[in-house]
Amino acid sequence: PLTLEEVRMLVELFYLPYHHGALAQELLEHFRWLRANSLSVGVPATAPDACGGTRWRGRAQSFQLLCARTCRLHSRFISTAGRALLYDLHPYLWDIRNMLLAASAFVLWLGCQSITAPILLGRDAEPWARRGGLFGELQALLPVGNNCDLFYHPPPLFPSSQLYLLRPLLPLDKLGHEGGGCSEFSQGLQAQLSCAAALPGRLLGSFLSLSPEYTFVLEDEGGPCGYAAGALHAEGFLQQRDSSWLPAVRHKYPPDLGTGGPALGQEAVLFFHAEPLAVPQPVLRRFPSLVQLGTAPRVLDVGASRSLALCLLSALRANGSRGVFCQVSDTDRQQLSFYSKLG
């Protein structure tokens, strides 16, 4: 059964209208402070005000631990609560879990020293765009908080106690990735996302090479199970992909490489040698950033996918993006369905 401490956490998350318990208040205070003071993160350790960066990282770690405790509470609640109580409270706890997955990864992203200090954009939302309670206040603190399509999804009919971790791409993930090559991480992710022995570079190669700072990883107990990748300035990204990245990959993987192998392997090689479709200028002007997301078939919880999207879009928005687009084949029903479910 739930411990007394876990019951207390549950009560504090949903204390009273317009009033928060100690846990919820601490989460909000940490997130507000971390967002407001994110400019101090990139300060070198030898600088006079380096203590500001140290303090920021200390509070970020405290925030991560609180988020992890709350995500574990969600998993424990599903495993132990009676059915009537579970179906009464699960939608609210599921929402908070998804929001904290995104908020936690966003804070980790803010702490990456390789990223230029973001400019967080704030704008008053219409009252109907935000829900009340802790969920609504956390929503307001994310740079995409006014996009209501991202925040309103019905909970799954069959609650899952699966634990997820959402984080930015780490330097270790890219180990062994150079030019058009593929890291162990991207190979593992490709294996999780499909049963094919297709080249991982088809999925993530250009983003790992040209825009790694906007790449996020979703993990479950089985390892990587999803990704979100983006390019802040899509026009420059696509030009660089076509002029330098694609020629290097084509040299590494000649068209006859996949001959005699599995059909999907051949398809992956030929994919690199097909001329990419040009993106119309009106699209690039209106939606300057490119995004790409995917999850493994075993990820049945749309909340985890939503958290991936929230985190990536928050990172792009924080650095000034006005809108995003994705490229999907009109015959790829799986991806079309995936993006449609995200709103």
Side-chain angles (χ1 to χ4, degrees):
L2 291 174
T3 66
L4 181 60
E5 180 61 28
E6 287 169 331
V7 173
R8 185 180 289 114
M9 285 174 63
L10 191 61
V11 171
E12 288 177 355
L13 286 171
F14 310 102
Y15 194 63
L16 285 172
Y18 309 106
H19 292 279
H20 302 298
L23 173 66
Q25 195 60 45
E26 195 174 358
L27 280 166
L28 283 172
E29 286 172 2
H30 278 315
F31 196 15
R32 286 194 189 106
W33 189 91
L34 290 165
R35 194 187 121 142
N37 294 276
S38 61
L39 297 181
S40 67
V41 184
V43 176
T46 53
D49 55 349
C51 59
T54 305
R55 187 183 173 204
W56 192 96
R57 278 179 272 277
R59 288 196 70 161
Q61 189 174 15
S62 298
F63 181 71
Q64 303 294 331
L65 290 172
L66 285 174
C67 291
R69 281 177 61 201
T70 309
C71 290
R72 279 197 301 273
L73 173 64
H74 169 266
S75 179
R76 289 269 295 129
F77 182 75
I78 290 171
S79 304
T80 60
R83 296 296 95 180
L85 185 63
L86 171 62
Y87 282 95
D88 271 349
L89 296 186
H90 174 254
Y92 305 101
L93 197 53
W94 180 76
D95 266 340
I96 293 294
R97 190 278 311 254
N98 297 336
M99 182 64 72
L100 290 179
L101 276 175
S104 176
F106 181 64
V107 165
L108 276 174
W109 176 82
L110 285 175
C112 293
Q113 296 223 11
S114 60
I115 295 170
T116 308
I119 303 164
L120 292 167
L121 304 175
R123 187 177 64 182
D124 288 337
E126 295 293 333
W128 50 264
R130 236 174 251 153
R131 216 177 300 175
L134 177 63
F135 180 93
E137 294 208 37
L138 288 167
Q139 176 188 345
L141 290 170
L142 285 172
V144 289
N146 297 340
N147 190 328
C148 52
D149 281 352
L150 283 169
F151 295 93
Y152 290 89
H153 286 275
L157 291 175
F158 303 102
S160 166
S161 60
Q162 176 67 62
L163 281 168
Y164 291 101
L165 171 68
L166 178 55
R167 59 174 177 80
L169 190 75
L170 299 174
L172 285 176
D173 295 324
K174 296 183 288 176
L175 200 60
H177 176 91
E178 46 182 84
C182 302
S183 65
E184 289 181 20
F185 159 73
S186 62
Q187 288 173 351
L189 184 57
Q190 174 75 33
Q192 301 281 358
L193 294 179
S194 75
C195 298
L199 293 170
R202 173 174 173 173
L203 269 184
L204 280 173
S206 57
F207 290 100
L208 288 174
S209 291
L210 307 176
S211 187
E213 65 272 27
Y214 292 103
T215 305
F216 294 87
V217 184
L218 182 71
E219 293 181 341
D220 62 11
E221 290 160 5
C225 60
Y227 74 96
L232 182 63
H233 303 293
E235 187 170 12
F237 172 85
L238 294 173
Q239 287 173 356
Q240 201 175 354
R241 180 199 68 184
D242 297 346
S243 64
S244 60
W245 184 79
L246 264 180
V249 174
R250 287 167 176 169
H251 178 74
K252 188 166 186 175
Y253 303 112
D256 57 354
L257 181 67
T259 307
L264 283 171
Q266 295 176 39
E267 182 191 339
V269 172
L270 294 175
F271 171 83
F272 293 125
H273 292 271
E275 283 303 315
L277 293 174
V279 179
Q281 278 299 319
V283 173
L284 290 170
R285 281 196 295 270
R286 186 174 176 190
F287 308 105
S289 302
L290 171 67
V291 298
Q292 183 176 301
L293 297 94
T295 57
R298 69 176 186 268
V299 181
L300 303 177
D301 187 343
V302 71
S305 306
R306 184 178 75 177
S307 298
L308 263 176
L310 278 177
C311 194
L312 173 60
L313 296 179
S314 290
L316 292 167
R317 176 70 172 160
N319 270 346
S321 177
R322 301 188 311 276
V324 303
F325 70 95
C326 54
Q327 292 180 291
V328 190
S329 166
D330 55 4
T331 60
D332 192 339
R333 295 182 180 278
Q334 186 178 354
Q335 277 292 87
L336 288 169
S337 171
F338 175 77
Y339 287 120
S340 298
K341 284 177 183 174
L342 289 179

